[in-house]
Amino acid sequence: DMNGFIKFILLLYIFNAGKGVLAQTPIIWEPEAAFSFGINERWSGNGKLVLRYPIRILNATEQGLRFRNSLFEGQGFVNYRLVGGQRLALGLLYGVTDPWEALQKPEFRIIEQYGFRTLVAKFSLSHRLRVEQRFREKDLQQRMRYRITTDFPIQGSRIDPGELYLI
């Protein structure tokens, strides 16, 4: 039956959600604060601040947890909506690895991205193609990245406001 199948997929998703984090040494907690705003029907902006905290369980003589910030990152984007739900974005990112150390490693990025969404049955697929110019110390690195994500309704045939869904 379909409800049993959906519950099985939901439990599988919840069970596997933390495995990537637990497999890493140390465990990482990465809180972020995001914001977005509309300028008009085609233009918008968004940004976020990210902190990264590796958490290391100390040995028996040290006792407890070691909890120290290892990354600070701020980013902002200007977005332009094209027809059919397509988007173009231009963004800047500034990040510092080990912000409390004497030898900080700052990084500045210029980011261009194109995104669009497709529907396959009940599944909504979001595609993002991103090109980055990464400036670190005296280095310039070009990077191209592709990301695909999906979300789908747990109830019904489409995602409606207030309805449960998986991302």
Side-chain angles (χ1 to χ4, degrees), residues 9-28:
I9 294 296
L10 181 60
L11 286 172
L12 190 63
Y13 178 80
I14 291 169
F15 177 73
N16 285 311
K19 285 200 180 281
V21 173
L22 294 176
Q24 297 177 13
T25 304
I27 296 170
I28 295 175

mmCIF file of all heavy atoms in Angstrom, residues 9-28:
data_model
loop_
_atom_site.group_PDB
_atom_site.id
_atom_site.type_symbol
_atom_site.label_atom_id
_atom_site.label_comp_id
_atom_site.label_asym_id
_atom_site.label_seq_id
_atom_site.Cartn_x
_atom_site.Cartn_y
_atom_site.Cartn_z
ATOM 1 N N ILE A 9 9.964 5.061 3.216
ATOM 2 C CA ILE A 9 10.909 6.014 2.619
ATOM 3 C C ILE A 9 11.244 7.107 3.625
ATOM 4 O O ILE A 9 12.400 7.496 3.770
ATOM 5 C CB ILE A 9 10.339 6.618 1.313
ATOM 6 C CG1 ILE A 9 10.192 5.542 0.242
ATOM 7 C CG2 ILE A 9 11.185 7.767 0.812
ATOM 8 C CD1 ILE A 9 11.485 4.914 -0.215
ATOM 9 N N LEU A 10 10.257 7.604 4.348
ATOM 10 C CA LEU A 10 10.484 8.645 5.358
ATOM 11 C C LEU A 10 11.418 8.140 6.456
ATOM 12 O O LEU A 10 12.368 8.826 6.830
ATOM 13 C CB LEU A 10 9.155 9.099 5.944
ATOM 14 C CG LEU A 10 9.208 10.205 6.994
ATOM 15 C CD1 LEU A 10 9.845 11.457 6.411
ATOM 16 C CD2 LEU A 10 7.820 10.513 7.509
ATOM 17 N N LEU A 11 11.193 6.940 6.966
ATOM 18 C CA LEU A 11 12.066 6.379 7.994
ATOM 19 C C LEU A 11 13.477 6.149 7.457
ATOM 20 O O LEU A 11 14.458 6.407 8.144
ATOM 21 C CB LEU A 11 11.487 5.068 8.534
ATOM 22 C CG LEU A 11 10.282 5.219 9.453
ATOM 23 C CD1 LEU A 11 9.683 3.855 9.776
ATOM 24 C CD2 LEU A 11 10.665 5.946 10.721
ATOM 25 N N LEU A 12 13.583 5.669 6.233
ATOM 26 C CA LEU A 12 14.889 5.472 5.612
ATOM 27 C C LEU A 12 15.624 6.800 5.492
ATOM 28 O O LEU A 12 16.811 6.897 5.776
ATOM 29 C CB LEU A 12 14.706 4.820 4.236
ATOM 30 C CG LEU A 12 15.948 4.331 3.533
ATOM 31 C CD1 LEU A 12 16.612 3.228 4.334
ATOM 32 C CD2 LEU A 12 15.576 3.815 2.150
ATOM 33 N N TYR A 13 14.919 7.845 5.085
ATOM 34 C CA TYR A 13 15.502 9.177 4.954
ATOM 35 C C TYR A 13 15.999 9.674 6.303
ATOM 36 O O TYR A 13 17.127 10.141 6.443
ATOM 37 C CB TYR A 13 14.463 10.131 4.376
ATOM 38 C CG TYR A 13 14.932 11.547 4.225
ATOM 39 C CD1 TYR A 13 15.724 11.939 3.151
ATOM 40 C CD2 TYR A 13 14.585 12.510 5.165
ATOM 41 C CE1 TYR A 13 16.149 13.247 3.025
ATOM 42 C CE2 TYR A 13 15.008 13.804 5.056
ATOM 43 C CZ TYR A 13 15.786 14.167 3.973
ATOM 44 O OH TYR A 13 16.220 15.463 3.853
ATOM 45 N N ILE A 14 15.167 9.579 7.339
ATOM 46 C CA ILE A 14 15.547 10.053 8.674
ATOM 47 C C ILE A 14 16.731 9.244 9.213
ATOM 48 O O ILE A 14 17.668 9.797 9.780
ATOM 49 C CB ILE A 14 14.335 9.981 9.635
ATOM 50 C CG1 ILE A 14 13.293 11.028 9.222
ATOM 51 C CG2 ILE A 14 14.762 10.178 11.083
ATOM 52 C CD1 ILE A 14 11.955 10.876 9.916
ATOM 53 N N PHE A 15 16.698 7.932 9.025
ATOM 54 C CA PHE A 15 17.771 7.069 9.507
ATOM 55 C C PHE A 15 19.111 7.408 8.851
ATOM 56 O O PHE A 15 20.145 7.409 9.498
ATOM 57 C CB PHE A 15 17.417 5.603 9.238
ATOM 58 C CG PHE A 15 18.496 4.644 9.645
ATOM 59 C CD1 PHE A 15 18.735 4.382 10.984
ATOM 60 C CD2 PHE A 15 19.275 4.025 8.697
ATOM 61 C CE1 PHE A 15 19.730 3.503 11.374
ATOM 62 C CE2 PHE A 15 20.278 3.149 9.066
ATOM 63 C CZ PHE A 15 20.503 2.887 10.408
ATOM 64 N N ASN A 16 19.099 7.746 7.565
ATOM 65 C CA ASN A 16 20.335 7.999 6.833
ATOM 66 C C ASN A 16 20.760 9.465 6.830
ATOM 67 O O ASN A 16 21.856 9.778 6.385
ATOM 68 C CB ASN A 16 20.214 7.510 5.391
ATOM 69 C CG ASN A 16 20.289 6.013 5.317
ATOM 70 O OD1 ASN A 16 21.184 5.414 5.895
ATOM 71 N ND2 ASN A 16 19.343 5.406 4.629
ATOM 72 N N ALA A 17 19.932 10.379 7.312
ATOM 73 C CA ALA A 17 20.237 11.809 7.229
ATOM 74 C C ALA A 17 21.520 12.189 7.947
ATOM 75 O O ALA A 17 22.269 13.030 7.487
ATOM 76 C CB ALA A 17 19.064 12.626 7.773
ATOM 77 N N GLY A 18 21.826 11.583 9.077
ATOM 78 C CA GLY A 18 23.008 11.958 9.846
ATOM 79 C C GLY A 18 24.247 11.140 9.557
ATOM 80 O O GLY A 18 25.308 11.413 10.090
ATOM 81 N N LYS A 19 24.155 10.142 8.713
ATOM 82 C CA LYS A 19 25.295 9.254 8.505
ATOM 83 C C LYS A 19 26.512 9.972 7.944
ATOM 84 O O LYS A 19 27.624 9.674 8.328
ATOM 85 C CB LYS A 19 24.908 8.097 7.598
ATOM 86 C CG LYS A 19 24.063 7.079 8.296
ATOM 87 C CD LYS A 19 24.105 5.778 7.555
ATOM 88 C CE LYS A 19 23.284 4.739 8.213
ATOM 89 N NZ LYS A 19 23.884 4.118 9.340
ATOM 90 N N GLY A 20 26.321 10.920 7.032
ATOM 91 C CA GLY A 20 27.464 11.645 6.468
ATOM 92 C C GLY A 20 28.193 12.443 7.523
ATOM 93 O O GLY A 20 29.409 12.530 7.521
ATOM 94 N N VAL A 21 27.455 13.017 8.470
ATOM 95 C CA VAL A 21 28.071 13.801 9.535
ATOM 96 C C VAL A 21 28.816 12.894 10.498
ATOM 97 O O VAL A 21 29.934 13.170 10.893
ATOM 98 C CB VAL A 21 26.994 14.631 10.276
ATOM 99 C CG1 VAL A 21 27.582 15.318 11.479
ATOM 100 C CG2 VAL A 21 26.359 15.624 9.336
ATOM 101 N N LEU A 22 28.207 11.766 10.861
ATOM 102 C CA LEU A 22 28.827 10.883 11.832
ATOM 103 C C LEU A 22 30.074 10.197 11.282
ATOM 104 O O LEU A 22 30.945 9.807 12.036
ATOM 105 C CB LEU A 22 27.817 9.829 12.298
ATOM 106 C CG LEU A 22 26.631 10.382 13.083
ATOM 107 C CD1 LEU A 22 25.643 9.270 13.399
ATOM 108 C CD2 LEU A 22 27.091 11.065 14.350
ATOM 109 N N ALA A 23 30.162 10.056 9.953
ATOM 110 C CA ALA A 23 31.308 9.381 9.366
ATOM 111 C C ALA A 23 32.546 10.263 9.358
ATOM 112 O O ALA A 23 33.644 9.786 9.179
ATOM 113 C CB ALA A 23 30.970 8.951 7.941
ATOM 114 N N GLN A 24 32.379 11.558 9.552
ATOM 115 C CA GLN A 24 33.512 12.480 9.509
ATOM 116 C C GLN A 24 34.147 12.582 10.889
ATOM 117 O O GLN A 24 33.495 12.443 11.894
ATOM 118 C CB GLN A 24 33.053 13.871 9.072
ATOM 119 C CG GLN A 24 32.482 13.880 7.689
ATOM 120 C CD GLN A 24 31.980 15.266 7.328
ATOM 121 O OE1 GLN A 24 32.285 16.230 8.009
ATOM 122 N NE2 GLN A 24 31.228 15.361 6.257
ATOM 123 N N THR A 25 35.449 12.838 10.902
ATOM 124 C CA THR A 25 36.151 13.069 12.152
ATOM 125 C C THR A 25 36.793 14.434 12.049
ATOM 126 O O THR A 25 37.558 14.670 11.135
ATOM 127 C CB THR A 25 37.223 12.006 12.392
ATOM 128 O OG1 THR A 25 36.585 10.742 12.347
ATOM 129 C CG2 THR A 25 37.903 12.208 13.713
ATOM 130 N N PRO A 26 36.528 15.372 12.875
ATOM 131 C CA PRO A 26 35.571 15.323 13.971
ATOM 132 C C PRO A 26 34.142 15.537 13.471
ATOM 133 O O PRO A 26 33.916 15.848 12.314
ATOM 134 C CB PRO A 26 36.016 16.488 14.840
ATOM 135 C CG PRO A 26 36.580 17.464 13.872
ATOM 136 C CD PRO A 26 37.228 16.638 12.797
ATOM 137 N N ILE A 27 33.169 15.446 14.389
ATOM 138 C CA ILE A 27 31.780 15.770 14.074
ATOM 139 C C ILE A 27 31.719 17.278 13.858
ATOM 140 O O ILE A 27 32.377 18.043 14.558
ATOM 141 C CB ILE A 27 30.859 15.341 15.232
ATOM 142 C CG1 ILE A 27 30.915 13.829 15.397
ATOM 143 C CG2 ILE A 27 29.435 15.815 14.995
ATOM 144 C CD1 ILE A 27 30.225 13.323 16.656
ATOM 145 N N ILE A 28 30.933 17.725 12.892
ATOM 146 C CA ILE A 28 30.878 19.147 12.572
ATOM 147 C C ILE A 28 29.463 19.672 12.777
ATOM 148 O O ILE A 28 28.505 19.075 12.312
ATOM 149 C CB ILE A 28 31.327 19.395 11.120
ATOM 150 C CG1 ILE A 28 32.799 19.023 10.972
ATOM 151 C CG2 ILE A 28 31.085 20.836 10.709
ATOM 152 C CD1 ILE A 28 33.321 19.103 9.570
#
